[in-house]
């Protein structure tokens, strides 16, 4: 085993991970044995909280969040006020004077968050990860073990579906008038559309188009001065608007349309927000099993309430970097966390390792695995790690929480955030600082809005305006920091073998390994706890290390309940070593750094032939395939192969000259 300090000459650009995540819900205590935490502790795909959106969840998630996130009508009102700010363009942002590499000098390294051990003995080598977002492809794995692929664009039809041309028969002006009528945005009680080519077939298509695209509207045909008009009107007055989809949904059809979403360089919530805007529906009618991050190609299953496959398929004509397919109607939505994991296809470009080094590294990954550390994106990208905010919350140090979130800091941030922080430091006036933010749904904007509303002496309520999932991410970041540090201590002390006093899970119940039972377990069975009020700790030296670490942070390991219930940590268990499944690899030679090195689902749908590689080339790349359970970080598996620091700070410095 080597410390990361021996690998700093090897570099790789790892900007983001792409692991399945689900929103955190500490009220549901789950302790799982599949190498991952309870859904309340799932990994975070974002580089931190400073730009996180107020993400809507599916109906199931909403019911569990209701106690806190929507506990006050004021919060709901303010979220509605800001609805139109979603997805604001960032085109007006100013370029930073510093380069990204200069800014990242202030970021975190792996050592800062407790990541300092390897399990394999091979020599590391360098490679470039995510040089192109298409070098990182994620396919979701369902509970049944089926890997999601986009391989069928056909639409399941039934007799109640309108014909395909129903979606194109209305003009843009017609659509606008009908939408205003549907949403009661004008004073008219009806909209009349003249039928230019008057045939029964043409009238039927227009009738079907209006009813399909504008649920809640009814239509009739009228003669006016010898001309035929289709007149649209409300079927049931304003009551129709409460649930317009129910008026046109066939009773024999499942209420949810399930489909496969293929997306490029866009995170899951951005994609759902785009779909909801095109469909003119709220994002919370969509459900999913986990979110996937931005800088990758990802394929996952989505479900949506009472939107037809035909309408969804029609979006393929106008969407950029998104494609929908594999449609089916089901009776139930998708549930967060109800997935087996993700299958990754990853290309590491411009590798320096010999074939023998690659073979040793990949065999070790397949046979031994990697340390199940929480990845760097769990802790943010700036000089203020998210775990510091989490620690302050647990300490009840609310002034420090406010200061840590809002104060100026070094690191990579958007220009408007920098100006907002400067204004806050200068004036301590939340309203004044808020004016510097064009996008107010970031965490900073939400906290400033809360401070404006509740005042500087009620920081707890002001902080409560931030969506619950985002607030809990700070605390989970602190738990992750403790866990990483303790696992490194555990491996330093006892190596890669199970020892008496280690913890293993029997079902969901933790038990100690006894002296006479130690040969029945391997390191792959061992779990370690995230600190909380409902976990037990190992019965060896690491137990005292937990106690000392929390005590140094002015926290009592024997009293992890918080005065605010939401911030009370029950804890959970996580396997310390993960062995990926379905591991395969090949080394390919190539000359053009921009050439794709494998086909995507869309390439296959379009009939593109797979790339052909020469026996020799200017560069060499390692193409890896492997599957991981939820809440494990693919970058930590790649770190074990390359033996390098995955922090943006380290790799940006090492690779800036090469990437130019």
């Amino acid at each position: 085993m080597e410390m990361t300090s021996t690998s700093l000459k090897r570099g790789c650009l790892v900007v983001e991970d792409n692991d399945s995540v689900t929103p955190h819900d500490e009220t549901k205590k789950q302790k799982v044995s599949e190498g991952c935490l309870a859904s309340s502790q799932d990994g975070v795909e974002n580089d931190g909280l400073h730009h996180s959106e107020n993400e809507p969840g599916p109906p199931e998630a909403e019911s569990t969040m209701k106690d806190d996130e929507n506990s006050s009508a004021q919060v709901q009102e303010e979220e509605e006020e800001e609805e139109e700010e979603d997805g604001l363009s960032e085109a007006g942002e100013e370029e930073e004077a510093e380069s990204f590499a200069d800014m990242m000098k202030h970021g975190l390294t792996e050592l800062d968050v407790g990541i300092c051990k390897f399990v394999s003995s091979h020599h590391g080598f360098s490679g470039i990860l995510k040089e192109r977002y298409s070098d990182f492809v994620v396919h979701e794995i369902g509970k049944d073990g089926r890997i999601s692929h986009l391989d069928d664009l056909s639409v399941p039809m039934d007799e109640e579906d309108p014909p395909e041309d129903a979606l194109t028969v209305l003009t843009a002006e017609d659509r606008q008038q009908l939408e205003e009528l549907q949403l009661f945005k004008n004073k008219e009680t009806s909209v009349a559309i003249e039928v230019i080519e008057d045939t029964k077939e043409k009238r039927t298509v227009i009738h079907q188009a209006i009813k399909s695209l504008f649920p809640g509207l009814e239509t009739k045909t009228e003669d006016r001065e010898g001309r035929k008009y289709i007149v649209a009107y409300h079927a049931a007055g304003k009551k129709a608007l409460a649930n317009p989809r129910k008026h046109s949904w066939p009773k024999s059809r499942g209420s949810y349309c399930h489909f496969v979403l293929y997306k490029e360089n866009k995170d899951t919530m951005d994609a759902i927000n785009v779909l909801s805007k095109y469909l003119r529906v709220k994002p919370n009618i969509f459900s999913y099993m986990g979110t996937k991050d931005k800088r990758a190609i990802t394929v996952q299953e989505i479900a949506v309430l009472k939107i037809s496959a035909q309408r969804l398929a029609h979006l393929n004509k106008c969407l950029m970097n998104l494609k929908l397919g594999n449609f089916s109607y089901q009776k139930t939505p998708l549930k967060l966390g109800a997935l087996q994991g993700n299958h990754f296809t990853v290309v590491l470009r411009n590798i320096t390792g010999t074939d023998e080094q690659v073979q040793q590294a990949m065999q070790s990954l397949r046979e031994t695995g990697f340390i199940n550390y929480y990845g760097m994106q769990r802790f943010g990208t700036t000089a203020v790690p998210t775990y510091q905010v989490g620690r302050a919350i647990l300490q009840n140090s609310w002034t420090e929480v406010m200061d840590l979130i809002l104060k100026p800091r070094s690191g990579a941030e958007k220009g408007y955030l920098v100006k907002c922080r400067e204004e806050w430091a200068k004036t301590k006036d939340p309203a004044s600082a808020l004016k510097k933010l064009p996008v107010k749904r970031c965490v900073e904007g939400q906290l400033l809005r809360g401070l404006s509303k509740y005042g500087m002496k009620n920081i707890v309520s002001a902080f409560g305006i931030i969506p619950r999932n985002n607030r809990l991410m700070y605390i989970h970041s602190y738990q992750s920091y403790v866990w990483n540090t303790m696992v490194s201590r555990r491996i330093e002390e006892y190596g890669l073998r199970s020892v008496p006093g280690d913890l293993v899970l029997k079902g969901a119940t933790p038990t100690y390994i006894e002296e006479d039972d130690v040969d029945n377990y391997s390191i792959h069975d061992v779990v370690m706890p995230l600190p909380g009020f409902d976990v037990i700790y190992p019965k060896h030296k690491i137990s005292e290390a937990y106690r000392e670490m929390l005590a140094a942070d002015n926290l009592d390991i024997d009293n992890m309940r918080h005065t605010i219930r939401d911030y009370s940590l029950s804890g959970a268990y996580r396997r310390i070593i993960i062995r990926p499944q379905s591991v395969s690899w090949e080394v390919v030679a190539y000359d053009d750094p921009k050439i794709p090195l494998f086909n995507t689902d869309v390439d296959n749908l379009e009939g593109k032939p797979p790339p052909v590689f020469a026996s020799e080339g200017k560069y060499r790349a390692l193409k890896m395939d492997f599957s991981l359970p939820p809440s494990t970080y693919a970058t930590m598996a790649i770190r074990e192969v390359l033996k390098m620091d995955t922090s943006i700070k380290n790799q940006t410095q090492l690779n800036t000259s090469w990437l130019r």
Side-chain angles (χ1 to χ4, degrees):
M1 290 177 290
E2 302 175 34
M3 299 292 285
T4 46
S5 57
T6 63
S7 64
L8 294 180
K9 292 182 181 177
R10 296 183 294 278
C12 157
L13 182 62
V14 184
V15 180
E16 299 177 58
D17 208 343
N18 201 306
D19 300 301
S20 167
V21 304
T22 63
H24 312 285
D25 185 3
E26 273 296 328
T27 63
K28 289 185 176 180
K29 185 187 66 178
Q30 300 172 16
K31 296 165 187 173
V32 281
S33 56
E34 285 301 320
C36 61
L37 292 179
S39 60
S40 63
Q41 305 292 346
D42 269 352
V44 181
E45 80 284 15
N46 297 316
D47 288 323
L49 297 179
H50 58 270
H51 60 278
S52 54
E53 295 290 329
N54 181 359
E55 299 178 354
E60 294 71 37
E62 285 188 351
S63 64
T64 62
M65 292 188 277
K66 204 167 284 184
D67 288 345
D68 182 272
E69 185 174 346
N70 297 322
S71 58
S72 74
Q74 292 97 327
V75 173
Q76 190 173 350
E77 285 167 16
E78 291 180 4
E79 287 175 353
E80 288 171 358
E81 283 170 16
E82 295 213 25
E83 246 177 11
E84 294 184 7
E85 294 178 23
D86 230 3
L88 282 177
S89 168
E90 296 171 3
E93 290 169 22
E94 295 181 15
E95 290 297 317
E96 293 298 299
E98 291 183 285
S99 72
F100 184 73
D102 288 335
M103 289 190 288
M104 287 317 302
K105 288 176 184 175
H106 311 288
L108 300 172
T109 67
E110 288 184 344
L111 291 171
D112 294 328
V113 294
I115 301 172
C116 59
K117 293 291 181 181
F118 295 99
V119 299
S120 54
S121 57
H122 72 274
H123 289 290
F125 53 92
S126 70
I128 307 297
L129 172 62
K130 291 194 178 184
E131 181 189 352
R132 299 165 58 81
Y133 66 79
S134 54
D135 286 348
F136 200 97
V137 177
V138 188
H139 290 267
E140 194 171 66
I141 307 173
K143 276 292 188 192
D144 58 0
R146 182 176 53 85
I147 298 176
S148 291
H149 281 280
L150 182 77
D151 53 19
D152 182 4
L153 299 182
S154 66
V155 176
M157 297 291 289
D158 58 42
E159 61 277 7
E160 301 197 48
D161 272 322
E164 180 63 28
D165 54 356
L167 299 168
T168 55
V169 71
L170 299 172
T171 66
E173 184 180 356
D174 292 339
R175 284 170 177 262
Q176 183 176 350
Q177 289 180 341
L178 289 164
E179 182 176 350
E180 289 174 354
L181 176 67
Q182 182 195 36
L183 301 177
F184 296 95
K185 287 186 175 178
N186 59 21
K187 295 178 181 178
E188 302 297 326
T189 57
S190 64
V191 168
I193 297 171
E194 184 179 359
V195 185
I196 304 299
E197 303 166 15
D198 182 23
T199 64
K200 184 176 181 181
E201 291 75 17
K202 181 67 179 288
R203 293 199 302 272
T204 300
V205 169
I206 296 175
H207 282 294
Q208 290 174 324
I210 293 171
K211 290 176 181 178
S212 170
L213 296 175
F214 302 94
L217 297 184
E218 289 293 339
T219 58
K220 59 185 177 182
T221 303
E222 286 186 1
D223 276 310
R224 297 181 182 178
E225 299 177 356
R227 296 180 180 179
K228 294 278 190 185
Y229 288 85
I230 305 294
V231 179
Y233 60 96
H234 273 287
K238 292 210 171 187
K239 287 183 180 178
L241 200 60
N243 187 6
R245 290 182 297 283
K246 75 180 181 184
H247 293 283
S248 58
W249 196 258
K251 292 179 181 178
S252 60
R253 181 194 285 170
S255 294
Y256 295 87
C257 184
H258 287 228
F259 61 94
V260 168
L261 169 67
Y262 169 102
K263 61 182 182 64
E264 298 182 356
N265 206 28
K266 191 177 288 289
D267 70 37
T268 300
M269 287 316 307
D270 284 343
I272 284 176
N273 285 332
V274 168
L275 295 179
S276 65
K277 282 179 172 60
Y278 272 102
L279 295 166
R280 302 185 305 281
V281 296
K282 287 191 178 295
N284 64 6
I285 71 168
F286 290 86
S287 57
Y288 44 86
M289 295 184 286
T291 62
K292 310 287 181 278
D293 75 12
K294 180 178 178 180
R295 192 168 168 77
I297 291 174
T298 71
V299 183
Q300 68 182 114
E301 192 171 349
I302 305 285
V304 61
L305 176 65
K306 292 187 177 179
I307 299 291
S308 71
Q310 197 172 31
R311 285 184 70 188
L312 291 166
H314 187 66
L315 296 180
N316 283 331
K317 297 177 181 178
C318 49
L319 292 172
M320 293 284 290
N321 298 329
L322 300 175
K323 211 160 194 70
L324 318 180
N326 297 79
F327 302 101
S328 65
Y329 293 108
Q330 309 287 341
K331 294 180 180 178
T332 56
L334 293 169
K335 293 190 176 180
L336 287 163
L339 72 168
Q340 200 178 100
N342 295 286
H343 184 79
F344 296 85
T345 303
V346 178
V347 168
L348 304 175
R349 291 182 183 252
N350 197 33
I351 60 167
T352 60
T354 64
D355 288 347
E356 185 180 3
Q357 280 178 294
V358 171
Q359 183 80 0
Q360 288 176 345
M362 294 306 298
Q363 281 184 336
S364 174
L365 184 67
R366 180 158 64 187
E367 293 165 11
T368 305
F370 62 97
I371 303 172
N372 195 19
Y373 286 126
Y374 287 96
M376 293 303 299
Q377 65 271 43
R378 186 79 162 182
F379 305 102
T381 56
T382 70
V384 179
T386 52
Y387 75 78
Q388 290 184 4
V389 180
R391 179 171 57 199
I393 294 169
L394 295 174
Q395 293 169 339
N396 252 330
S397 303
W398 291 101
T399 302
E400 186 181 358
V401 170
M402 176 181 69
D403 188 47
L404 286 169
I405 292 174
L406 296 177
K407 72 178 182 180
R409 77 275 310 273
S410 303
E413 285 204 305
K414 299 185 189 302
Y416 59 75
L417 264 178
V418 173
K419 290 178 180 176
C420 169
R421 295 188 192 287
E422 289 171 349
E423 182 68 20
W424 171 255
K426 185 170 67 177
T427 66
K428 288 292 188 288
D429 178 358
S432 178
L434 197 58
K435 289 177 183 175
K436 301 290 184 181
L437 288 178
V439 179
K440 294 178 174 58
R441 297 189 74 163
C442 59
V443 166
E444 291 80 1
Q446 288 160 332
L447 177 57
L448 288 167
R449 193 154 48 87
L451 291 169
S452 297
K453 183 178 181 67
Y454 295 108
M456 299 284 283
K457 293 184 178 179
N458 195 351
I459 300 171
V460 174
S461 295
F463 184 69
I465 275 187
I466 298 170
R468 182 175 187 271
N469 293 345
N470 292 352
R471 282 181 278 125
L472 294 186
M473 271 194 271
Y474 288 118
I475 303 176
H476 296 151
S477 177
Y478 178 73
Q479 285 181 299
S480 304
Y481 167 62
V482 173
W483 194 89
N484 280 359
T485 304
M486 291 298 99
V487 166
S488 293
R489 290 280 295 273
R490 159 64 181 78
I491 292 173
E492 171 94 24
E493 190 71 35
Y494 299 112
L496 296 177
R497 58 191 176 91
S498 59
V499 298
D502 273 335
L503 288 167
V504 294
L505 290 177
K506 291 187 177 178
T509 305
T511 59
Y512 292 108
I513 297 178
E514 303 297 341
E515 188 79 49
D516 56 359
D517 212 19
V518 73
D519 292 337
N520 294 328
Y521 298 100
S522 76
I523 193 66
H524 297 97
D525 299 311
V526 176
V527 299
M528 284 183 56
L530 280 91
F533 62 77
D534 198 25
V535 294
I536 59 175
Y537 294 88
K539 282 184 178 176
H540 47 52
K541 291 181 181 179
I542 304 307
S543 178
E544 190 56 33
Y546 270 97
R547 185 174 295 276
E548 290 171 359
M549 183 173 182
L550 267 68
D553 287 337
N554 295 316
L555 296 172
D556 181 359
I557 200 169
D558 298 317
N559 183 20
M560 296 300 288
R561 292 188 187 274
H562 198 280
T563 52
I564 300 170
R565 190 187 66 174
D566 248 5
Y567 309 138
S568 290
L569 298 176
S570 62
Y573 300 93
R574 180 177 175 91
R575 289 190 188 276
I576 66 174
I577 302 291
I578 288 292
R579 191 158 38 195
Q581 301 298 304
S582 307
V583 178
S584 64
W585 68 91
E586 65 175 322
V587 175
V588 298
Y590 65 103
D591 290 314
D592 184 353
K594 296 181 180 178
I595 187 175
L597 299 183
F598 59 89
N599 272 8
T600 65
D601 284 359
V602 168
D603 292 333
N604 293 332
L605 276 170
E606 294 173 352
K608 289 185 181 177
V612 178
F613 303 107
S615 56
E616 292 187 10
K618 191 174 178 183
Y619 309 109
R620 291 162 68 246
L622 170 59
K623 178 175 172 283
M624 312 162 56
D625 277 272
F626 54 91
S627 297
L628 294 176
S631 187
T632 52
Y633 287 73
T635 45
M636 293 296 99
I638 294 161
R639 167 187 182 271
E640 187 68 41
V641 170
L642 295 175
K643 288 284 187 77
M644 53 72 190
D645 184 329
T646 60
S647 66
I648 306 177
K649 173 179 179 177
N650 186 51
Q651 290 134 50
T652 311
Q653 310 302 324
L654 292 169
N655 289 288
T656 300
S657 58
W658 192 92
L659 290 171
R660 285 187 188 136

